[in-house]
Amino acid sequence: MRLASGILIGIFLTIARTPAAAQEVVAFTNVSVIPMDRERVLHDQTVLVRDGRIVLVGSAASARVPAGARRVDGAGKYLIPGLADMHAHLLSDAAVPDSVAPDELRIMLANGVTTARLMIGTPEQFPLRARVASGEIPGPALYLASPQFAGRRYGEPYFNGIVVTTPEEARVAVRQVADAGYDFIKLTIMISVPVYEAVMDEAARRGIKVIGHVDQQVGLARALAAGQQIEHLNMYFEAALRDGAPMTASVSDYLIYRPANWESLDWLDDAKLDSLGRATAAAGVWSSPTLTFFKLAFGTGQPDSVIEARPDYAVLPDSLRRQMREGRDYYWNNPPSAARRARYIEARNRIVRAIHGAGGRILAGSDSPEFFLLYGWTLHRELESLVDAGLPPFAALEAATRNPAQWLGTLAESGTVEPGKRADLVLLDADPLADIRNTTRIAGVMRAGRWYPAAELSRMIDESAARIRASLP
């Protein structure tokens, strides 16, 4: 894959991002609404959708449902905004054929994901986004990060990025991806300070946000000062080492694979972790901690019996199952001690609690598909992980609804259940504010006014999983 020309991408960008709205008028009746404008539940409501927009949220006793409208019985059910996965990838970015990318999006949608931020861009994602926007294929609204900026190639044959080793290379790359139409600049590893500063400066000139990893050379303090949106809690552990610690490296990013680095967890300063959380909030930096992936992949482990019982497993071709097992076993053949792994999980949770407690903003992201954890299902696991970390269910749900819309600049269009908003909705069989796990109890999904009941979503998953699984040996 290579970066597409600006001319070609410009053609795709002339197509509107909002899918062709369903013409059907739909009324959700006698439903409890969690609008996510603030923490509250509106009981016994009618929500009316016309031409892909919410036109009414009002008392079921007084609301009038137009003749001929499709009625969806919401008695005993809860209506929430569609969910946003702010850190997603596709298997078709590299490992499986591009032809099954629409199936990957269908699986996301069937899990209630109506917005997705794809975190390492490819030229093929532009026509995919256009097909979703036109209504040709069902799927979440897509926002595209650039190909990764890195200081060297790694992870071959799936690097999919741009090597930037000098400030001038960095500026050229920023201009290139901005002209191509990517929504954000994505940083990963081995980024030097001069390159980082050039990226931030050139991105500011072009009005494009910078997101992603924080390299050890850059450090957390510089990233906070620059206002970068930070993924994975990178470099928080390094910044929280006690004064006098005999090391400077810890277990952020690829450093987690170095067994000696796990000793650094014995030198973490909880007061510094809390202070860094407050500093994140004070800097106005948004965080996508991706707790679930790191917890399961490196903290608790994932036995075969657990992996194979998940619905995700049925999607994976045999060759990818083998590759993922090899990656898991590389780490787990000689894991850190149980005590250090428990400390790792709790320290990550503590940072998230500190950021939230200080008024900072959290974005829910799955970082799927990684280590047998696939898109859709893993976003729900991430909400559960946020609650396990100490966030109230409302705050966890906000991290996948209102917060992403606010960060993306689309709050006028999405993120809450209010008249005038795009009708991206999820109907649940139980209250997620009572138990965040209830976000998995999906009775149906609406995307831009088109209604998908649970039976159709189940078929969508089964058919798409079969095509993806058959795409490789």
Side-chain angles (χ1 to χ4, degrees):
M1 296 177 180
R2 63 183 186 277
L3 191 64
S5 71
I7 294 174
L8 179 60
I9 297 306
I11 294 172
F12 293 130
L13 291 179
T14 62
I15 302 173
R17 289 190 184 178
T18 302
Q23 299 302 307
E24 183 179 42
V25 178
V26 180
F28 297 90
T29 60
N30 303 304
V31 70
S32 293
V33 177
I34 303 177
M36 296 306 296
D37 56 347
R38 60 184 186 275
E39 188 167 2
R40 58 177 179 153
V41 180
L42 307 175
H43 295 286
D44 299 318
Q45 299 289 295
T46 291
V47 176
L48 191 64
V49 173
R50 181 186 292 116
D51 296 332
R53 296 276 169 176
I54 301 168
V55 296
L56 172 71
V57 180
S59 168
S62 58
R64 297 182 61 183
V65 177
R70 179 176 185 173
R71 290 174 177 262
V72 177
D73 183 8
K77 294 179 170 56
Y78 291 78
L79 196 66
I80 65 171
L83 302 174
D85 189 338
M86 293 295 281
H87 195 125
H89 300 277
L90 300 176
L91 291 170
S92 56
D93 291 345
V96 303
D98 291 330
S99 60
V100 296
D103 291 298
E104 300 190 84
L105 299 185
R106 290 184 184 99
I107 289 174
M108 288 188 191
L109 184 64
N111 279 282
V113 177
T114 60
T115 298
R117 189 174 66 165
L118 301 185
M119 288 296 281
I120 293 183
T122 71
E124 291 80 4
Q125 290 172 1
F126 286 96
L128 187 65
R129 179 167 71 179
R131 293 175 70 191
V132 172
S134 69
E136 178 187 346
I137 58 174
L142 297 179
Y143 293 84
L144 309 181
S146 70
Q148 62 177 308
F149 287 20
R152 63 170 175 82
R153 299 182 68 86
Y154 70 98
E156 300 290 13
Y158 304 134
F159 171 63
N160 189 28
I162 303 171
V163 174
V164 286
T165 59
T166 69
E168 184 53 35
E169 287 177 349
R171 291 183 185 276
V172 169
V174 169
R175 294 193 291 267
Q176 183 183 16
V177 299
D179 289 343
Y182 290 99
D183 296 311
F184 321 107
I185 305 296
K186 167 71 182 290
L187 302 179
T188 55
I189 67 170
M190 301 296 181
I191 300 292
S192 69
V193 171
V195 166
Y196 183 83
E197 291 177 344
V199 167
M200 298 304 298
D201 181 68
E202 194 67 28
R205 292 172 186 269
R206 296 301 301 263
I208 186 169
K209 292 181 178 179
V210 179
I211 63 178
H213 301 218
V214 179
D215 193 80
Q216 189 178 16
Q217 299 175 73
V218 173
L220 181 62
R222 183 174 280 105
L224 293 179
Q228 178 195 327
Q229 194 266 296
I230 298 175
E231 299 295 303
H232 313 310
L233 303 177
N234 276 177
M235 292 300 126
Y236 279 82
F237 285 178
E238 287 74 6
L241 292 172
R242 293 202 305 268
D243 295 343
M247 71 285 290
T248 57
S250 188
V251 288
S252 290
D253 218 319
Y254 60 92
L255 300 173
I256 200 169
Y257 283 102
R258 298 176 181 172
N261 287 1
W262 282 81
E263 183 184 346
S264 68
L265 296 181
D266 303 341
W267 293 82
L268 286 182
D269 184 332
D270 284 343
K272 283 190 175 183
L273 290 174
D274 294 341
S275 177
L276 291 170
R278 293 191 295 270
T280 302
V285 167
W286 297 63
S287 178
S288 181
T290 58
L291 292 176
T292 300
F293 163 58
F294 286 94
K295 175 172 62 179
L296 296 184
F298 304 107
T300 63
Q302 301 180 88
D304 284 347
S305 59
V306 172
I307 291 168
E308 293 171 11
R310 294 192 192 120
D312 320 40
Y313 191 72
V315 180
L316 293 169
D318 288 342
S319 57
L320 291 187
R321 291 173 178 174
R322 289 192 295 271
Q323 288 177 29
M324 289 183 180
R325 279 198 175 89
E326 289 172 4
R328 177 199 61 180
D329 293 346
Y330 175 81
Y331 171 85
W332 284 97
N333 283 339
N334 183 31
S337 69
R340 282 180 175 155
R341 287 186 281 113
R343 174 63 166 150
Y344 171 74
I345 294 170
E346 173 48 33
R348 287 177 60 82
N349 289 346
R350 187 177 189 119
I351 296 165
V352 171
R353 286 197 302 274
I355 292 172
H356 173 70
R361 297 300 183 93
I362 303 294
L363 299 171
S366 66
D367 199 13
S368 57
E370 291 276 7
F371 282 67
F372 303 101
L373 300 166
L374 264 63
Y375 28 63
W377 296 288
T378 302
L379 182 64
H380 295 278
R381 297 172 188 133
E382 184 67 10
L383 300 186
E384 186 176 349
S385 291
L386 289 171
V387 171
D388 289 345
L391 270 61
F394 178 80
L397 193 58
E398 191 175 40
T401 54
R402 181 184 174 89
N403 282 2
Q406 186 171 346
W407 189 88
L408 290 166
T410 62
L411 193 54
E413 287 283 306
S414 62
T416 62
V417 183
E418 298 178 273
K421 297 290 181 79
R422 188 173 65 231
D424 290 352
L425 304 164
V426 182
L427 186 64
L428 303 174
D429 283 326
D431 182 3
L433 301 185
D435 186 338
I436 196 62
R437 293 172 295 183
N438 288 334
T439 61
T440 65
R441 299 180 60 183
I442 296 175
V445 174
M446 177 168 277
R447 171 75 174 105
R450 179 174 177 183
W451 173 241
Y452 300 88
E456 185 173 353
L457 298 177
S458 181
R459 286 195 301 273
M460 191 182 295
I461 289 175
D462 290 344
E463 293 169 0
S464 293
R467 282 190 287 267
I468 297 169
R469 191 170 59 249
S471 69
L472 289 179

